[in-house]
Amino acid sequence: MLFKTPTANLANNGSAQHPEKRKAGGHGPTLEDEVCFLLNVSPDDELPDDGPHSPAEWWNEFAPAVYRWETIRGTAAPVPIVRGPRGGVKLSPEFAEWMMGLDPGWVTSVPGLTHKEKIERIGNGVVPHQAFAAFRELKAQLDARNA
């Protein structure tokens, strides 16, 4: 089971809803819906210091995918939710940044960006691993054509 992809409009969708409620309204659930309602994690949880993996119990059915990406990245997934200004929970920009394969702080440490702006920029980006694979494939096709 994979998470939804972070999208630029995620920051404009309003607050998270349970995925079933979102589906009942005729829409697909968002990444924020999934992390806020389907996981066993709290914004107050912290990563243990004992290795490159986050606690498997946080992720429920998403655990195998998170574990694979942690292994590929060599870094544990950050806590996926943060507490909002009114006490609710919302998607952590650090988690979205990690999902997209960006170095920690690539977007989230840019001074002056709001939570919404961080999510928009991360969701508007390209996963570097996918971009590399696409360029490698295109180069191979060009090389084969020119051989």
Side-chain angles (χ1 to χ4, degrees):
M1 182 83 154
L2 300 175
F3 284 111
K4 300 291 182 183
T5 303
T7 60
N9 67 345
L10 191 57
N12 299 318
N13 283 347
S15 60
Q17 296 180 23
H18 192 282
E20 294 305 319
K21 182 177 180 182
R22 182 89 63 186
K23 288 177 193 174
H27 302 284
T30 67
L31 172 62
E32 187 165 50
D33 296 339
E34 292 175 339
V35 299
C36 290
F37 287 97
L38 302 181
L39 303 182
N40 186 30
V41 64
S42 160
D44 302 319
D45 286 337
E46 295 182 13
L47 280 173
D49 292 330
D50 62 352
H53 297 287
S54 57
E57 61 269 14
W58 284 3
W59 307 108
N60 296 328
E61 66 266 20
F62 299 99
V66 170
Y67 184 86
R68 280 192 308 272
W69 195 229
E70 286 175 329
T71 301
I72 291 167
R73 300 275 329 270
T75 60
V79 176
I81 54 177
V82 295
R83 199 159 306 285
R86 288 178 259 163
V89 293
K90 56 187 179 177
L91 175 66
S92 160
E94 288 78 12
F95 179 68
E97 183 176 61
W98 175 85
M99 277 188 62
M100 294 294 284
L102 301 171
D103 289 338
W106 186 256
V107 173
T108 57
S109 292
V110 174
L113 292 182
T114 65
H115 179 274
K116 178 181 176 180
E117 291 169 332
K118 290 174 186 179
I119 295 293
E120 287 173 340
R121 280 149 180 82
I122 292 164
N124 218 13
V126 173
V127 176
H129 291 73
Q130 289 175 323
F132 177 80
F135 280 116
R136 184 179 56 210
E137 179 63 28
L138 288 170
K139 184 177 181 329
Q141 288 181 20
L142 282 172
D143 290 348
R145 187 178 296 155
N146 294 329

